[in-house]
Amino acid sequence: MPAIARQWFNGLEKKHATIVDKYTSNAVTQLLCQREMQQVQSSSNKFDNMQVKTRQSAGEVAAVYTVDEISMELVVKLANNHPLGVVTVESGKKVGVTTAQWRRWMLQMTTFLTHQNGSIMDGLILWKRNADKHFEGVEDCMICFSVIHMSNYSLPKLSCRTCKKKFHSICLYRWFNTSNNSTCPLCRNIF
């Protein structure tokens, strides 16, 4: 629902958008934020290596992922006019992963929360799974730059015979359809 509401809101004329924004900020946002925070707090998911805390007054959720002596932190913040505004994912500590990998995870999380109507808890679970698989040595898909696919939660299994890079089957299917050929997205040899 938030993605549909945002899309509708972005298509409004400025004078109508101002009225809707003001009403949403005053009457709707607080209730939706409270509900989202309660879902995170009451989640039945218990994690071995991740702690999740809510800061209801700030409208944000902080997660700390720890493996061995490495810890990473991210903060998910709801907009002041949620669901009309975009959810932001901010970086905290990011020890143990490259900056590029961290950016990919943040982009995936932001996309998941903004365009796929995922809950904050679902996004955190996706982030944790990616981090778990990364530290287990599973390679990212070289199309979506994620270990776990956002829609079907699959691992990259199909590998190019030439460059040996792995891809999710759904990402490859999309690549083949949009490029109109059956070559590897990286080395351009026949797949």
Side-chain angles (χ1 to χ4, degrees), residues 54-71:
T54 59
R55 300 177 192 139
Q56 196 158 351
S57 60
E60 59 187 34
V61 176
V64 178
Y65 177 91
T66 307
V67 60
D68 295 331
E69 294 168 11
I70 298 170
S71 69

Side-chain angles (χ1 to χ4, degrees), residues 110-161:
T110 302
T111 302
F112 180 77
L113 294 173
T114 303
H115 301 295
Q116 294 188 346
N117 292 324
S119 71
I120 291 176
M121 201 64 209
D122 291 339
L124 292 174
I125 291 169
L126 182 63
W127 176 63
K128 181 191 178 310
R129 286 181 182 166
N130 274 315
D132 287 344
K133 294 298 180 188
H134 172 77
F135 288 112
E136 288 173 12
V138 178
E139 203 175 311
D140 293 346
C141 170
M142 298 311 292
I143 296 173
C144 71
F145 301 111
S146 175
V147 175
I148 302 199
H149 194 272
M150 286 188 289
S151 63
N152 65 4
Y153 305 110
S154 65
L155 295 174
K157 293 181 181 172
L158 300 175
S159 62
C160 174
R161 284 177 263 153

Side-chain angles (χ1 to χ4, degrees), residues 11-77:
L12 291 176
E13 294 178 22
K14 186 168 177 123
K15 65 179 181 177
H16 297 297
T18 304
I19 295 168
V20 170
D21 184 42
K22 186 175 181 179
Y23 174 77
T24 302
S25 298
N26 293 333
V28 177
T29 299
Q30 186 176 5
L31 295 172
L32 290 177
C33 288
Q34 285 175 350
R35 186 169 154 205
E36 191 76 42
M37 298 297 157
Q38 287 172 349
Q39 284 179 343
V40 170
Q41 289 172 343
S42 65
S43 174
S44 61
N45 295 317
K46 302 297 179 209
F47 305 110
D48 298 340
N49 54 353
M50 187 169 81
Q51 293 180 337
V52 179
K53 295 180 182 175
T54 59
R55 300 177 192 139
Q56 196 158 351
S57 60
E60 59 187 34
V61 176
V64 178
Y65 177 91
T66 307
V67 60
D68 295 331
E69 294 168 11
I70 298 170
S71 69
M72 301 181 292
E73 180 181 353
L74 78 105
V75 177
V76 178
K77 187 169 184 169

Side-chain angles (χ1 to χ4, degrees), residues 1 35 54 175 190:
M1 186 69 173
R35 186 169 154 205
T54 59
W175 168 258
I190 299 294

